[in-house]
Amino acid sequence: MSDLPSHRLDPRMLRVWYVSDAIGIVVVAVLAVAAWAIVRHLGGDVFWVYLIGGLVELVCVGDLLISPRVEMATWRYDVTPTDVDLYHGVFVKKRVLVPLVRVQHVETRQGPILRAHGLATVTVSTAGESFEIPGLAEADAAALRDRVAELARLAKEDV
């Protein structure tokens, strides 16, 4: 197998993953409190709500502590004249080569959390699926989007 791609995500993406995971933990906690209130109101045994809610929160906190750092350490990408090379994963490592001749469109997008951190996601779409490169500085994401679009256009002209 060839060398891994050389480009990494912006370090601010680690904070974005932490914030996103923390929001998820809060949502799970609110749902657990709502479930507790409903079960208590109906006169049921709230022990199971405590047990299941606690286990789910424990898994979420474990994910918060482990996944963002591992994901940050493994996420890599490159764009060559022939394809987009992506490598990432926490427990299962995934390597994808997207031929530029198959690219239909490329876009950048930002949600509120990415925007607050000055980051954007580049999405490369083919006829079958889409591939994302998250956590790039806004200017880098725009430049990468334009470069992939131009290389895809050139690849299609060569065919």
Side-chain angles (χ1 to χ4, degrees):
M1 183 174 246
S2 63
D3 294 333
L4 292 177
S6 60
H7 293 90
R8 293 184 175 269
L9 303 181
D10 190 291
R12 293 174 289 180
M13 189 60 189
L14 188 60
R15 279 184 277 160
V16 169
W17 280 325
Y18 281 137
V19 168
S20 296
D21 284 356
I23 290 170
I25 288 171
V26 169
V27 168
V28 168
V30 167
L31 291 174
V33 168
W36 172 83
I38 291 169
V39 170
R40 186 161 184 243
H41 177 71
L42 296 175
D45 186 8
V46 294
F47 168 78
W48 295 107
V49 175
Y50 288 134
L51 181 65
I52 293 170
L55 289 174
V56 170
E57 283 293 321
L58 190 62
V59 168
C60 289
V61 169
D63 181 57
L64 172 76
L65 296 175
I66 296 170
S67 293
R69 288 199 180 276
V70 174
E71 191 75 30
M72 189 63 163
T74 60
W75 237 114
R76 298 167 185 246
Y77 69 94
D78 268 334
V79 176
T80 69
T82 58
D83 47 43
V84 177
D85 188 359
L86 308 172
Y87 178 78
H88 62 94
V90 175
F91 297 110
V92 176
K93 305 297 187 220
K94 185 175 181 180
R95 179 110 186 237
V96 179
L97 292 174
V98 182
L100 288 170
V101 71
R102 302 273 187 227
V103 172
Q104 290 190 336
H105 70 277
V106 186
E107 65 184 14
T108 54
R109 85 185 148 74
Q110 290 179 303
I113 299 172
L114 284 173
R115 190 175 314 113
H117 288 85
L119 301 174
T121 296
V122 175
T123 304
V124 178
S125 299
T126 65
E129 63 186 301
S130 295
F131 304 92
E132 290 186 347
I133 304 172
L136 301 177
E138 290 180 61
D140 295 342
L144 182 66
R145 178 199 59 219
D146 295 345
R147 181 169 176 235
V148 170
E150 179 63 18
L151 288 171
R153 185 186 63 76
L154 293 173
K156 288 176 183 171
E157 285 178 0
D158 289 343
V159 173

